[in-house]
Amino acid sequence: MKGKVTRAENGEPLVGAAVEIKGTSRGTITDLKGQYELRVPNNLGELNIEVKFIGFKDIHKTVKVTGVNTQYDFQMVSNDLQLPDVVVSARRVEEFLQKVPVAASVVSSSDIERRSVYSTIEALNNIPNMMTDSWVASQPTFSIRGLASNFDNVGFESTVALYIDDVYFSRGFGFNSTLFDIARVEVLRGPQGTLFGKNTVGGVVNVISETPEFANNGQVEVNFGNYGFAQFRGKYNTELIKNKLALRLTGAFTHRNGYITDLNSVSNGYNKTIFGGGRGSLYYKPNDKTRVTARFYYGQDVKGENTFVYGSTEDGNPLGIPADTYKSTTSDVPNTFERQQFGGSVKAEFDLKQGRTLTSITAYNNSDDFYLGDNDLTKLSVSSWGRNQKLQNFSQEIRVSSPRDQKLTYVGGLYFLNEQVSGKDTFSLTKDFLPLAEKLMEKKFGRYNDYVETATTNSKISSQSIAMFLSGGYKVTSKLTANIGLRFTAENKKLSYYQPLTYFMDKGKPVGAIDYYAVELGSKSDPYETSTIDNVLSGEASLNYEVNPFAMAYLKYSRGFKGAGFNTSVSGDETGASLVFKPEYVNSYEFGFKSKFNERTRLNGAIFYVDYKNKQEILDQGYKIEVANAARTSGFGAELEFNIMYKRLRLDISGGVVGMRYREFMFGEDDYSGNKLLKAPNATFSVAPQYNVDLGDKYRLVLGANINYTGKAYNDISNYEVIARKAATIVNARAGIMPKNGKWSIALWGKNLTNTRYIQHGFEYEWGNQISWSRPTYVGLEMYLNFF
């Protein structure tokens, strides 16, 4: 008797499955191809065969003995004691993670739920060689393998490409990071310069939301915690036309008080997060060959928490007042924040002949936010700063893909993006700056209680990008596959910029302290204008070798680029020439492996070398903001992810090390060569255990923890120690009880249980530093109810 044992879900062979004749000592296990062979006596008539494999439901089957060789194949159904299959769309089609020659990590919907994750920032804490932070709601930062961009003006596009449901967002302030009803979040590390293309030098963060299904169900979630945290979220799915049309609606409301107390009661009234928003999606399947998904969203932030306090400088306290403590500050200008976002997309998929698929994605997005705050964060009146930034974009992508199980596979298409971005920065100096201005400018100033001088930058960027891409793979042998991809991008950007100054007049003459930071440049009727054009070929090549059905190794070369850009902040350059910076290029070399020894263990890893040319950087010291390209930047790194399921314990472990430095970087007369990159921690490490305990036949207790270590990282290119992010370990935990049918759940959660603190971000000013502290200990109660 012989045969094969496979997974019922996908037909993969199961290695080490036990095939036994019940009631006897006869048995065997399957080989690397999932095959078994068992000698049986021909005089037994019937045999009771039992097939067992950890993580799968046992199979009991009665077979007849015929006296000749007999073939019996078994398909096993998984249970909750095995690692689930992980799907990723790294090559713009859905594939199993273990088959894709890309360093990728996936945060699933179950991961999001079991860790009580409420934002993209939290969801990505377990990704090796990745660091995230957000000093205001509209400014998330994503750093992958030590590559990140300073996010301090609208002229800078993100080094890490941000996608939601296949739609690209060029800047973090337009990226809605509230997570709810998410199928998974994918992180692709390293340049993805072919299929994702635009601005992927660091990698890709791809958020994929749930698709409506032909069923009627829903969920209501309520969350309460300290610092006035209250969150209400709900989702509803309904089938409108049987097996043809489905609708899915989701909504969320969040309230939370700030963890930094503003001792000015008026300012403290603004110090809280208030967010509300919703999403909707329609899924239409008129026939077996056509699928259309339409999505739309709206979100509004009414207020945003202040995370900054006043900090001392290396040389002391220029204002003559002590630095703030961790938990409080005093501001004379309330920190106000408002944001409105809306948009939508239509994705249409058509099955063609020979298994090919045609995909069209049309999208529009709009984001508009406003921030005004105290620049010095003291009871003195030194400076204030406001920013209004807007983004509108329209994109269209068309691609054709072949089935992935052929000898020759391919994905190719066209991409178009039209983007309009505008920003208005208002930088004001007030009365208590004048004593400091005398030292900085070496001249005498009077004292005026009503003194205000302002620099107002007005910028508009119009950008069009057109790309053609093609990526293919060829199976050279049964185990060796060669892959190559190319992308041609033509990108045109135009900047319109003017910066008027408003002076305080004394006896008909301007006081002029604002001149230390800014100059008059252009006007509303005659703005300074410039443009850039980039025509660039990027791509990748790789070889992947299937060692056996459960292990794969690959070698990969990737070339990526990020287009030229503009500095839209306050400028002291009367010519305007310094507002433009050159495009940047990266060459990445990577060796990786992926292995899945059995259905309970998975081990993936990679080592890499990155060589950067003309990396775009901002020197941000207060409002002396300048832009330059670092001639050469390079570094090595490695990362590892290990997942194991043993009985009722699941353990996820990941870690990474990276060393990225500027090799050649002259910025004016300053030499930054040898400095570490900003937002580039030297190491990351994460451990996330989860243990399930049965409480009788009906209920289950789920205990989980999430321990994350992030090494030291600098918040600026000068590696200023006072505002550097120190190495820190954050401990989160969750304990939940639920019935085994998943109808409801009640959970207690805690975040940063050791109350560890570190500097998320910092700005260096002549009058002192702004320091954004990490969040303290948060605890809360989460309840949800499912409707089937």
Side-chain angles (χ1 to χ4, degrees):
M1 174 181 167
K2 60 182 180 180
K4 192 173 184 179
V5 180
T6 59
R7 297 187 63 172
E9 292 93 335
N10 56 25
E12 285 186 354
L14 295 177
V15 179
V19 183
E20 302 172 348
I21 303 175
K22 193 173 182 180
T24 75
S25 60
R26 293 177 182 265
T28 186
I29 60 173
T30 55
D31 61 16
L32 288 175
K33 296 181 180 180
Q35 297 176 343
Y36 74 92
E37 187 171 314
L38 186 64
R39 292 183 62 85
V40 299
N42 59 12
N43 60 351
L44 294 182
E46 290 184 345
L47 300 178
N48 292 320
I49 302 298
E50 192 171 55
V51 185
K52 294 183 176 182
F53 194 67
I54 293 179
F56 290 82
K57 297 177 181 179
D58 294 348
I59 294 178
H60 301 276
K61 186 177 181 66
T62 300
V63 302
K64 291 185 178 180
V65 178
T66 62
V68 296
N69 291 341
T70 306
Q71 177 88 18
Y72 283 105
D73 295 334
F74 300 96
Q75 290 79 42
M76 303 194 74
V77 177
S78 62
N79 59 26
D80 59 359
L81 298 181
Q82 69 162 23
L83 288 173
D85 278 329
V86 177
V87 173
V88 67
S89 53
R91 297 192 288 190
R92 308 312 294 272
V93 293
E94 291 194 343
E95 304 173 82
F96 290 118
L97 173 66
Q98 299 304 105
K99 302 293 184 182
V100 182
V102 175
S105 300
V106 177
V107 182
S108 67
S109 58
S110 61
D111 294 332
I112 292 172
E113 181 178 303
R114 68 192 177 95
R115 296 170 188 167
S116 294
V117 168
Y118 307 123
S119 71
T120 311
I121 298 296
E122 294 178 336
L124 303 180
N125 287 336
N126 297 80
I127 307 299
N129 279 332
M130 184 165 192
M131 186 182 78
T132 62
D133 59 38
S134 179
W135 54 273
V136 293
S138 66
Q139 299 287 7
T141 301
F142 302 93
S143 171
I144 298 179
R145 291 181 172 177
L147 300 180
S149 286
N150 190 305
F151 42 79
D152 195 34
N153 67 56
V154 299
F156 262 75
E157 299 181 14
S158 176
T159 298
V160 175
L162 309 173
Y163 281 79
I164 299 178
D165 293 323
D166 281 331
V167 177
Y168 170 68
F169 291 79
S170 64
R171 291 158 176 83
F173 73 80
F175 185 68
N176 191 332
S177 57
T178 300
L179 287 187
F180 187 50
D181 201 23
I182 299 300
R184 63 184 185 274
V185 180
E186 301 176 358
V187 177
L188 315 180
R189 297 184 294 277
Q192 310 295 320
T194 301
L195 295 176
F196 290 88
K198 185 174 171 59
N199 299 345
T200 65
V201 286
V204 171
V205 174
N206 189 14
V207 178
I208 300 170
S209 57
E210 293 282 5
T211 299
E213 54 190 9
F214 299 125
N216 297 309
N217 54 56
Q219 184 184 90
V220 176
E221 178 196 294
V222 179
N223 230 311
F224 295 102
N226 58 341
Y227 292 94
F229 177 64
Q231 183 168 262
F232 307 94
R233 304 192 293 188
K235 58 185 177 182
Y236 174 68
N237 189 101
T238 183
E239 185 179 37
L240 299 176
I241 302 176
K242 189 172 179 60
N243 296 327
K244 287 187 179 297
L245 183 64
L247 170 68
R248 196 175 187 92
L249 300 174
T250 66
F253 172 80
T254 302
H255 174 279
R256 181 174 57 208
N257 296 327
Y259 57 93
I260 302 294
T261 300
D262 198 316
L263 300 181
N264 182 331
S265 59
V266 174
S267 297
N268 203 51
Y270 290 83
N271 184 21
K272 59 185 64 178
T273 289
I274 300 178
F275 167 82
R279 291 203 312 267
S281 53
L282 279 167
Y283 179 66
Y284 180 50
K285 186 179 180 183
N287 53 59
D288 291 338
K289 295 186 177 181
T290 305
R291 299 169 298 281
V292 180
T293 307
R295 304 181 190 273
F296 50 92
Y297 69 90
Y298 176 83
Q300 185 172 23
D301 298 82
V302 179
K303 294 182 179 180
E305 297 171 56
N306 171 46
T307 67
F308 281 103
V309 301
Y310 172 70
S312 60
T313 67
E314 220 164 17
D315 300 326
N317 295 299
L319 297 180
I321 60 176
D324 286 327
T325 61
Y326 164 58
K327 283 200 169 185
S328 65
T329 190
T330 305
S331 62
D332 62 312
V333 177
N335 286 277
T336 58
F337 173 72
E338 297 177 0
R339 177 172 61 173
Q340 179 177 268
Q341 296 176 301
F342 62 89
S345 65
V346 177
K347 179 178 181 179
E349 299 173 283
F350 307 94
D351 293 337
L352 308 177
K353 294 180 180 179
Q354 300 175 337
R356 295 172 296 165
T357 302
L358 172 65
T359 303
S360 169
I361 303 171
T362 307
Y364 172 80
N365 294 290
N366 185 297
S367 182
D368 186 346
D369 68 52
F370 171 77
Y371 174 84
L372 174 65
D374 187 357
N375 228 10
D376 54 279
L377 289 167
T378 70
K379 61 184 179 181
L380 300 180
S381 182
V382 179
S383 174
S384 65
W385 170 65
R387 170 171 290 166
N388 185 200
Q389 47 193 9
K390 300 179 181 180
L391 179 147
Q392 297 181 64
N393 63 32
F394 170 81
S395 62
Q396 174 65 56
E397 181 173 357
I398 298 175
R399 63 177 184 260
V400 177
S401 60
S402 69
R404 303 306 301 184
D405 56 357
Q406 295 181 347
K407 189 168 187 176
L408 175 64
T409 61
Y410 60 86
V411 177
L414 302 171
Y415 178 76
F416 171 74
L417 174 68
N418 182 61
E419 195 164 55
Q420 307 295 319
V421 185
S422 64
K424 182 177 182 179
D425 286 8
T426 304
F427 170 56
S428 298
L429 298 175
T430 44
K431 63 176 183 176
D432 291 320
F433 177 73
L434 293 173
L436 183 60
E438 292 182 340
K439 299 177 183 178
L440 297 172
M441 302 177 72
E442 297 181 346
K443 59 184 293 189
K444 287 290 184 180
F445 292 98
R447 298 293 185 266
Y448 319 94
N449 287 330
D450 54 348
Y451 166 78
V452 178
E453 290 189 321
T454 302
T456 305
T457 69
N458 300 268
S459 59
K460 292 183 180 179
I461 299 172
S462 175
S463 173
Q464 292 80 39
S465 179
I466 301 174
M468 298 179 291
F469 58 89
L470 178 64
S471 176
Y474 181 74
K475 209 169 183 61
V476 181
T477 70
S478 60
K479 294 188 175 183
L480 179 66
T481 302
N483 309 278
I484 190 168
L486 291 173
R487 185 183 189 101
F488 175 76
T489 302
E491 194 165 88
N492 178 32
K493 297 179 181 177
K494 295 181 181 179
L495 169 69
S496 176
Y497 177 100
Y498 65 97
Q499 178 178 264
L501 304 184
T502 302
Y503 289 101
F504 182 85
M505 307 301 290
D506 180 17
K507 299 178 181 179
K509 295 182 179 180
V511 171
I514 193 69
D515 294 338
Y516 181 75
Y517 293 102
V519 296
E520 292 267 3
L521 179 59
S523 65
K524 186 174 183 178
S525 59
D526 184 25
Y528 172 82
E529 294 183 334
T530 187
S531 62
T532 63
I533 298 176
D534 295 312
N535 295 306
V536 177
L537 190 67
S538 58
E540 59 190 25
S542 66
L543 289 172
N544 54 286
Y545 182 76
E546 188 177 304
V547 181
N548 58 49
F550 310 99
M552 181 262 283
Y554 65 90
L555 286 170
K556 184 178 182 181
Y557 163 77
S558 303
R559 178 171 175 79
F561 98 103
K562 186 169 76 166
F566 308 110
N567 175 17
T568 61
S569 289
V570 173
S571 175
D573 177 12
E574 60 186 9
T575 69
S578 64
L579 298 182
V580 184
F581 45 85
K582 296 181 288 186
E584 60 184 26
Y585 301 87
V586 62
N587 293 311
S588 174
Y589 308 86
E590 182 176 315
F591 166 76
F593 67 89
K594 298 189 174 184
S595 57
K596 191 175 182 182
F597 309 117
N598 51 50
E599 299 306 312
R600 294 173 292 132
T601 56
R602 182 167 54 235
L603 179 67
N604 297 339
I607 57 175
F608 56 89
Y609 171 72
V610 177
D611 191 4
Y612 229 121
K613 179 183 178 182
N614 288 336
K615 189 175 190 306
Q616 301 164 358
E617 294 291 15
I618 290 180
L619 177 61
D620 189 345
Q621 293 179 317
Y623 263 81
K624 281 199 163 181
I625 297 177
E626 301 174 87
V627 180
N629 292 88
R632 183 166 176 264
T633 303
S634 64
F636 291 89
E639 55 217 10
L640 200 66
E641 292 180 283
F642 178 63
N643 313 97
I644 185 170
M645 198 93 166
Y646 180 71
K647 294 184 178 180
R648 302 191 180 280
L649 174 67
R650 172 170 175 169
L651 186 62
D652 300 321
I653 302 175
S654 66
V657 293
V658 65
M660 292 290 296
R661 291 184 181 272
Y662 302 109
R663 305 301 175 182
E664 299 175 33
F665 191 10
M666 291 297 300
F667 203 147
E669 298 180 354
D670 297 319
D671 187 358
Y672 294 99
S673 303
N675 282 12
K676 291 185 177 181
L677 273 64
L678 65 93
K679 303 290 185 182
N682 55 355
T684 62
F685 182 74
S686 172
V687 180
Q690 178 183 296
Y691 189 72
N692 298 335
V693 181
D694 284 341
L695 303 176
D697 297 331
K698 294 184 178 181
Y699 301 100
R700 175 176 297 164
L701 176 65
V702 181
L703 304 173
N706 195 358
I707 305 167
N708 300 289
Y709 168 83
T710 302
K712 182 179 179 180
Y714 290 101
N715 283 312
D716 64 350
I717 63 174
S718 59
N719 292 182
Y720 185 36
E721 291 288 348
V722 176
I723 60 172
R725 173 174 172 151
K726 306 300 183 184
T729 300
I730 303 298
V731 179
N732 304 329
R734 184 178 189 272
I737 186 171
M738 66 191 70
K740 292 184 178 180
N741 63 11
K743 185 78 173 179
W744 53 264
S745 171
I746 299 177
L748 293 172
W749 53 264
K751 300 179 182 182
N752 192 10
L753 291 176
T754 57
N755 205 26
T756 301
R757 65 185 186 189
Y758 57 87
I759 296 173
Q760 292 189 92
H761 195 72
F763 292 103
E764 180 185 358
Y765 291 87
E766 283 80 6
W767 52 78
N769 299 314
Q770 274 195 11
I771 294 175
S772 172
W773 285 106
S774 57
R775 296 190 178 279
T777 299
Y778 272 79
V779 294
L781 174 68
E782 172 194 277
M783 300 171 285
Y784 72 75
L785 176 65
N786 287 319
F787 302 93
F788 300 103

